[in-house]
Amino acid sequence: MMTRWMGRVCLAALCVAVAGFVSAGELGLPASTPAEQGMLAEKLAAIPTQLGTFIDQGKLPGFVTVVARNGKVVHFEAFGSMDVERGKPMQKDTIFRMYSMTKPVTGAAVMTLVDAGKISLDDPVSKYIPEFANAQVLIEKEDGTTELVPAENPITLKHLMMHTSGLVYGIFDTGKLGELYREANVNSDGSSGVTLEEFAKKAASMPLKCQPGTEWHYSIAMDVLGRVVEVVTGKRYGDYLAETIFEPLGMKDSAFYVPAEKADRFASNYGPDAEKGMVLIEDAATSPFLRVPSLDSGGGGMGGTAADYLRFAQMLLNGGELDGVRILSEEAVAEMTSNQLPKEWGDSPLNLMAGLSFKGVGFGYCGATPMDGFQNTLFGGEGEYTWGGYASTDFWIDKHENIVGMVLTQLIPTGTYPTRPMMHSAIQGAIVESNVVHATD
């Protein structure tokens, strides 16, 4: 009963219209009315009520939801709670565990080095991390036995960018390889005590799931890419991101840990519970995110705000530039946000991920993008680029409609509730003036 009451109170108190009440700095981008950007205000205004059902039912703590079109914010709401136990309402500048929403940022970091001519995506990973030379592939036979065979081709940086290297996540792989990962503690968690160099060497000691470039497997690849960036630049990975992406874009709250002066804005993290709806699994006041990590995880270590990530996403949507600051070339962004998987892999190449159906979903660099001709996939339609985080954070850019969408909460695992498809559907339903010029690009 208390949870439902708190949910309704927070919804009423915190759902404030964008125009006239908040600054561009707080939002990340200038504000506009929905009507001026060809969208229905009433449809966007209904988002907190729709998602608020999960708050009223005690299943989710709270949300920050964002919609920007044509570079202008038309919806930016904070509702529910960021810390249920302490009764702290969600704020627009709440700091979230972005987890795997770090991956597209890593993709952008790698592409800055491509743009600068310092690396090629066709380079073998062993050029930068020699331990990846002479990789072996683990063959798991039907009778339960295994065999190691040499990799037929070297793992390239492009394989890492596309999750086609043969690396996996030990926590997700249910076969023998996942068991080996877990036994060896191949863990990119910043609280593990190992450096990124040590982690990459340990990852290189593991056999591969498949021959490089032949299958898609969700993996630790972006963490390895972070180490490549360190080797090429001579800088700690987080420092390179700060200098090259965060600071130029004004992403002032994005980092691999939450400093003490910002800890009061950090959200707690929750998990589903059959009896209670949700339970606290990581208290914001005692979280490992409050300490400097031993490594900066390019696959899942970032924390940040909605406004910060909005600026990053808008930079991608703009073709690599924001407010006169160019981060990436237009060519780099086009390549990164387009499907790179071979056509001969069919229309469901990501079906290897957790046994789910991803028909029509392809993959660019460090993020998914629906294939040409598919409009209603699990990850949206043609022209979109997207990814999400393990604690139920999601973003996407829609190149056809010139839209950035984002829905952030804190509940592990992602996908427990359909927050992303609900947000995506609400945005699509609010469009009254289609950007035809984008749709025919």
Side-chain angles (χ1 to χ4, degrees):
M1 182 65 71
M2 180 61 71
T3 301
R4 295 190 184 95
W5 177 84
M6 286 176 63
R8 295 190 185 101
V9 169
C10 288
L11 282 170
L14 294 173
C15 295
V16 180
V18 167
F21 288 92
V22 286
S23 67
E26 184 180 2
L27 297 176
L29 296 173
S32 177
T33 64
E36 288 175 327
Q37 305 307 323
M39 303 189 78
L40 291 172
E42 58 269 29
K43 292 286 189 179
L44 297 178
I47 290 172
T49 300
Q50 294 165 359
L51 292 176
T53 301
F54 296 114
I55 300 172
D56 286 350
Q57 294 173 347
K59 294 179 177 180
L60 287 168
F63 294 89
V64 172
T65 53
V66 182
V67 184
R69 193 177 198 198
N70 304 322
K72 302 291 179 63
V73 175
V74 294
H75 168 95
F76 198 126
E77 303 280 10
F79 48 101
S81 175
M82 61 181 283
D83 187 330
V84 174
E85 288 68 31
R86 294 177 179 85
K88 295 175 66 175
M90 186 68 76
Q91 304 289 342
K92 290 185 173 69
D93 63 352
T94 291
I95 297 174
F96 292 85
R97 298 161 190 79
M98 293 299 187
Y99 288 138
S100 285
M101 276 174 59
T102 309
K103 288 179 169 68
V105 178
T106 292
V110 171
M111 295 308 287
T112 64
L113 297 178
V114 173
D115 277 343
K118 295 183 178 180
I119 63 172
S120 166
L121 293 186
D122 292 325
D123 289 341
V125 179
S126 59
K127 179 178 179 179
Y128 308 101
I129 307 172
E131 289 78 8
F132 273 98
N134 304 314
Q136 293 186 305
V137 179
L138 182 70
I139 305 298
E140 300 185 44
K141 302 180 180 180
E142 293 184 0
D143 63 4
T145 62
T146 61
E147 179 185 1
L148 288 173
V149 300
E152 298 172 359
N153 300 292
I155 303 170
T156 67
L157 299 183
K158 190 170 185 178
H159 292 150
L160 294 180
M161 295 278 270
M162 296 166 58
H163 285 307
T164 59
S165 64
L167 296 171
V168 300
Y169 268 121
I171 59 172
F172 296 136
D173 187 272
T174 58
K176 179 62 177 178
L177 185 56
E179 182 181 326
L180 293 176
Y181 267 63
R182 293 188 293 274
E183 289 176 354
N185 194 28
V186 183
N187 181 6
S188 59
D189 188 334
S191 61
S192 64
V194 303
T195 65
L196 198 51
E197 178 181 9
E198 293 167 337
F199 164 81
K201 289 180 178 179
K202 185 178 288 188
S205 72
M206 292 289 105
L208 305 178
K209 180 80 171 179
C210 62
Q211 290 290 342
T214 63
E215 295 177 2
W216 190 95
H217 293 278
Y218 198 41
S219 74
I220 59 174
M222 281 82 211
D223 295 308
V224 176
L225 284 169
R227 176 56 188 163
V228 172
V229 172
E230 289 189 336
V231 172
V232 173
T233 66
K235 300 175 182 178
R236 179 166 171 146
Y237 182 54
D239 292 340
Y240 183 76
L241 287 189
E243 295 172 14
T244 309
I245 296 177
F246 298 159
E247 292 172 6
L249 288 178
M251 298 169 64
K252 61 184 186 299
D253 292 317
S254 294
F256 287 90
Y257 78 104
V258 180
E261 65 271 18
K262 299 179 181 181
D264 63 330
R265 293 195 283 123
F266 187 46
S268 286
N269 201 6
Y270 298 85
D273 184 86
E275 295 182 359
K276 299 178 181 179
M278 66 178 176
V279 292
L280 179 69
I281 60 173
E282 187 179 286
D283 191 332
T286 57
S287 169
F289 267 86
L290 301 180
R291 299 184 292 275
V292 177
S294 62
L295 60 80
D296 301 328
S297 168
M302 264 182 60
T305 62
D308 274 9
Y309 210 91
L310 174 59
R311 291 187 62 78
F312 172 75
Q314 188 65 49
M315 177 274 294
L316 292 180
L317 189 56
N318 289 353
E321 178 272 339
L322 182 65
D323 294 340
V325 177
R326 180 157 291 282
I327 305 297
L328 295 169
S329 67
E330 291 186 7
E331 294 79 8
V333 174
E335 188 175 346
M336 177 177 168
T337 59
S338 299
N339 180 35
Q340 297 294 326
L341 299 180
K343 289 184 179 179
E344 55 266 29
W345 288 17
D347 62 10
S348 300
L350 271 63
N351 271 357
L352 296 170
M353 181 179 171
L356 299 176
S357 174
F358 288 82
K359 185 175 182 178
V361 180
F363 206 79
Y365 296 155
C366 305
T369 180
M371 298 175 178
D372 291 347
F374 286 87
Q375 298 301 331
N376 297 298
T377 76
L378 187 66
F379 283 153
E382 179 183 344
E384 297 185 35
Y385 173 83
T386 179
W387 205 242
Y390 194 41
S392 305
T393 58
D394 288 280
F395 95 103
W396 58 95
I397 61 172
D398 184 336
K399 292 182 281 186
H400 288 177
E401 296 295 350
N402 209 15
I403 283 173
V404 177
M406 197 181 314
V407 54
L408 308 178
T409 186
Q410 296 282 258
L411 185 107
I412 287 178
T414 185
T416 301
Y417 303 111
T419 54
R420 187 201 187 281
M422 287 176 66
M423 183 71 181
H424 189 274
S425 178
I427 293 174
Q428 294 301 112
I431 299 172
V432 291
E433 296 178 12
S434 179
N435 285 340
V436 177
V437 63
H438 294 277
T440 57
D441 283 351

